[in-house]
């Protein structure tokens, strides 16, 4: 049953209309929602192992029960129908499809086959991300992303997924946010696999990018006409003062350009190569790598949450840092309201980011593949979740996306993060990003007020008058 508010009708005035065919979706990731981590042949990922480490994940939370989506996927597709979603971005779990990174497990692929068919039966376009951080633990034990071989194992895994689903998936994304896999995973270690080595992180960057390029080749082989690309978590970066400009340049290099330039221009930026010379970036590049990494993409997935206001380091930190070569860099508040994760809410940052991409990487279709916010939602005594702060966040960011469209940005779609409350990685289940509230004890789903509002946006293909 539709949850579109009864006030929405085709006659109602729409203040900001989106282009015809604009893709309206929501996104999730396998380890964050599926649960069922030991069934049908799935083996451990690096996140299963990481969650078992005392203190690594808040409250000792693990991939169980997740949102039990592996078993409840049909009911979740029905929820998507009630919201009127045009597309659903999910990720495929490598350790289901190739347990331990080895031979293909048909039972693992069957799950995604059923999910894709259920989506298509509901008229929802399936968008698949091939890697959203759940590397098979066995591959980590063989070196993980610090090993070049992992990129080739990824290509084989992509082969098996696209061969099976390529006739039905509407959009392919190779990697989700390789920055997190490389720098949070291998430099600071606050994410799985929890390694703290700047050299390992730099090597992970190159091998993740190589995996992306090899993955693109396999997608092209099995699904030649289907749009494919990569999803990056990108941030507008500004310096607090002229004295902070070099630190800001380095942060922009590590966060944005180290991924954008190889994928879209086939080369690492010169300044990044220089900054990372002590960590051996250039030495990792073999003949042909940059051409593979620069295999043309059809689109770029943009995950946007907040901007970064950078001040130069004052002291070197004792803790391992994600900011390789600029350890101790400071991120200052700019006085904006914050979400529950302390992230500043800046819709204007989204417009700025999209305009920068239009100018620096022209003629590239863009999709916002994630945008959303964590707030401490609760189901009220009347059974409703009144998440007015999330509603305002989404409204502001969609207005900002529309402002970019008006200025000529080729923005083709928007996927809200996230469809369901889920395991927010090291923050555990307590940080809720969902349009739909999940009670992790009972698995009851409650459609939040923001979801009803979003359903209205989709139904109008536009925003209501402010
Ligand atoms: O939950 C994550 C998601 O897995 C990747 N992008 C950011 C989200 C919020 O932190």
């Amino acid at each position: 049953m539709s949850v579109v508010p009864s006030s929405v009708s085709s006659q109602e005035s729409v203040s900001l209309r989106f282009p015809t065919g604009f893709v309206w979706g929501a996104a999730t990731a396998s380890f964050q929602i599926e649960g069922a981590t030991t069934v049908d042949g799935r083996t451990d990922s690096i996140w299963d192992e990481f969650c078992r480490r005392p203190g690594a994940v808040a409250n000792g939370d693990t991939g169980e029960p997740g949102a039990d989506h592996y078993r409840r996927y049909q009911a979740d597709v029905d929820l998507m129908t009630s919201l009127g979603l045009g597309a659903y971005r999910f990720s495929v779990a490598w350790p289901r499809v190739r347990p331990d990174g080895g031979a293909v497990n048909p039972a693992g692929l069957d799950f995604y086959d059923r999910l894709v068919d259920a989506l298509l039966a509901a008229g929802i376009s399936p968008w698949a991300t091939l890697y959203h951080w759940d590397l098979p633990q066995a591959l980590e034990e063989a070196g993980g992303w610090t090993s070049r071989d992992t990129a080739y194992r990824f290509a084989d895994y992509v082969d098996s997924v696209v061969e099976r689903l390529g006739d039905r998936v509407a959009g392919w994304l190779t990697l989700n946010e390789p920055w997190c896999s490389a720098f949070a995973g291998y430099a600071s270690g606050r994410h799985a696999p929890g390694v703290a080595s700047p050299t390992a992180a730099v090597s992970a960057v190159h091998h993740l990018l190589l995996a992306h390029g090899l993955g693109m080749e396999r997608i092209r082989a099995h699904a030649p006409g289907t749009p494919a690309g990569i999803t990056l978590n990108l941030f507008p970066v500004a310096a607090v003062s002229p004295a902070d400009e070099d630190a800001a340049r380095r942060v922009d290099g590590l966060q944005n350009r180290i991924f954008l330039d190889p994928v879209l221009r086939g080369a690492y930026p010169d300044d990044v190569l220089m900054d990372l010379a002590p960590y051996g970036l250039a030495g990792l590049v073999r003949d042909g790598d940059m051409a593979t990494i620069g295999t043309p993409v059809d689109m770029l997935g943009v995950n946007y949450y907040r901007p970064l206001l950078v001040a130069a380091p004052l002291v070197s930190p004792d803790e391992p840092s994600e900011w390789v070569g600029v350890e101790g860099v400071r991120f200052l508040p700019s006085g904006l309201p914050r979400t529950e994760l302390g992230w500043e809410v800046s819709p204007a940052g989204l417009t700025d980011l999209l305009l920068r991409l239009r100018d620096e990487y022209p003629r590239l279709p863009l999709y916002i593949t994630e945008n959303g916010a964590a707030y401490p939602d609760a189901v009220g005594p009347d059974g409703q979740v009144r998440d007015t702060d999330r509603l305002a966040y989404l409204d502001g960011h969609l207005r900002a996306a529309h402002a970019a469209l008006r200025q000529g940005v080729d923005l083709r779609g928007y996927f809200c993060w996230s469809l369901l409350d889920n395991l927010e990685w090291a923050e555990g289940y307590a940080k809720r990003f969902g349009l739909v509230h999940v009670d992790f004890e009972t698995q009851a789903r409650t459609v939040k007020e923001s979801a009803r509002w979003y359903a209205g946006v989709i139904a109008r293909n536009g925003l209501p008058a402010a």
Side-chain angles (χ1 to χ4, degrees):
M1 203 179 68
S2 168
V3 301
V4 176
S6 52
S7 61
V8 175
S9 73
S10 50
Q11 284 81 35
E12 189 192 32
S13 71
V14 178
S15 74
L16 296 176
R17 199 175 291 284
F18 281 73
T20 306
F22 192 81
V23 174
W24 292 106
T28 62
S30 46
F31 191 72
Q32 292 180 275
I33 62 163
E34 284 178 358
T37 52
T38 55
V39 309
D40 293 339
R42 182 188 181 280
T43 54
D44 272 359
S45 73
I46 51 175
W47 274 94
D48 296 86
E49 194 278 336
F50 191 69
C51 288
R52 288 185 205 118
R53 296 190 200 176
V57 172
N59 311 313
D61 288 342
T62 69
E64 292 290 357
D68 198 27
H69 173 75
Y70 190 79
R71 297 186 183 87
R72 294 169 194 261
Y73 73 92
Q74 182 59 61
D76 290 337
V77 171
D78 294 344
L79 270 172
M80 297 177 214
T81 303
S82 75
L83 300 180
L85 292 188
Y88 172 56
R89 173 181 173 236
F90 60 95
S91 80
V92 178
W94 188 345
R96 283 195 200 285
V97 171
R98 285 185 176 260
D100 294 334
V104 174
N105 169 32
L109 272 174
D110 288 349
F111 169 66
Y112 299 103
D113 206 74
R114 292 194 294 275
L115 174 62
V116 163
D117 282 347
L119 289 165
L120 290 173
I124 298 167
S125 297
W127 280 56
T129 304
L130 289 153
Y131 184 69
H132 198 126
W133 309 355
D134 40 4
L135 181 72
Q137 173 63 19
L139 292 185
E140 177 55 31
E141 285 161 20
W145 289 111
T146 69
S147 162
R148 192 176 165 92
D149 190 55
T150 300
Y152 296 106
R153 300 284 71 76
F154 177 75
D156 292 345
Y157 151 71
V158 172
D159 216 52
S160 29
V161 178
V162 184
E163 191 177 24
R164 181 78 178 268
L165 306 179
D167 56 336
R168 286 158 291 154
V169 163
W172 290 103
L173 295 156
T174 52
L175 308 179
N176 180 74
E177 302 183 355
W179 183 90
C180 294
S181 302
F183 292 107
Y186 290 90
S188 68
R190 77 183 162 91
H191 277 191
V195 174
S197 155
T199 310
V202 169
S203 142
V205 167
H206 186 67
H207 298 140
L208 281 154
L209 283 168
L210 183 61
H212 156 75
L214 294 167
M216 284 295 301
E217 291 175 355
R218 303 299 177 99
I219 295 168
R220 295 290 187 233
H222 292 295
T226 309
I230 187 171
T231 277
L232 302 176
N233 51 331
L234 301 172
F235 294 68
V237 177
V240 173
S241 75
D244 303 303
E245 268 164 21
D246 192 57
R249 176 194 62 75
R250 281 172 173 262
V251 166
D252 182 51
L254 288 173
Q255 179 72 65
N256 299 322
R257 292 179 293 112
I258 196 172
F259 298 105
L260 285 167
D261 280 27
V263 169
L264 301 173
R265 295 178 175 160
Y268 286 108
D270 289 342
D271 63 323
V272 172
L273 277 170
M274 229 142 59
D275 293 343
L276 296 184
Y279 309 95
L281 177 57
L284 294 159
V285 181
R286 298 202 189 155
D287 279 356
D289 281 7
M290 299 317 294
T292 302
I293 294 169
T295 301
V297 292
D298 304 302
M299 41 119 168
L300 177 70
V302 177
N303 290 359
Y304 172 76
Y305 289 92
R306 62 192 161 127
L308 298 174
L309 182 59
V310 174
L314 294 175
V315 286
S316 288
D318 299 331
E319 301 282 298
S321 170
E322 280 151 18
W323 301 103
V324 175
V326 64
E327 291 83 0
V329 66
R330 293 167 298 142
F331 297 102
L332 301 191
S334 50
L336 293 165
R338 292 165 180 268
T339 70
E340 202 193 359
L341 284 176
W343 298 355
E344 288 195 322
V345 178
S346 173
L350 175 59
T351 314
D352 293 347
L353 175 63
L354 295 172
L355 292 176
R356 176 187 183 186
L357 292 169
R358 176 202 66 184
D359 294 343
E360 295 185 20
Y361 306 93
R363 291 176 297 285
L364 178 65
L366 304 176
Y367 289 83
I368 297 170
T369 40
E370 284 184 27
N371 174 241
Y375 289 109
D377 310 313
V379 182
D382 60 354
Q384 303 294 315
V385 180
R386 297 210 159 68
D387 58 336
T388 46
D389 30 22
R390 180 174 296 98
L391 191 160
Y393 179 101
L394 297 178
D395 181 79
H397 286 78
L398 286 174
R399 285 176 197 282
H402 197 276
L405 272 165
R406 285 199 304 275
Q407 292 172 73
V409 170
D410 186 3
L411 180 64
R412 307 264 177 107
Y414 177 91
F415 292 78
C416 180
W417 184 266
S418 179
L419 176 71
L420 301 170
D421 289 341
N422 57 56
L423 179 79
E424 177 51 19
W425 307 110
E427 309 284 344
Y429 289 107
K431 300 291 185 276
R432 295 176 177 274
F433 273 90
L435 290 165
V436 176
H437 183 277
V438 177
D439 178 328
F440 294 105
E441 298 285 316
T442 64
Q443 292 298 332
R445 270 68 166 150
T446 306
V447 173
K448 300 180 191 177
E449 192 176 327
S450 61
R452 294 178 198 281
W453 174 87
Y454 187 47
V457 170
I458 297 170
R460 292 181 197 91
N461 194 35
L463 290 159

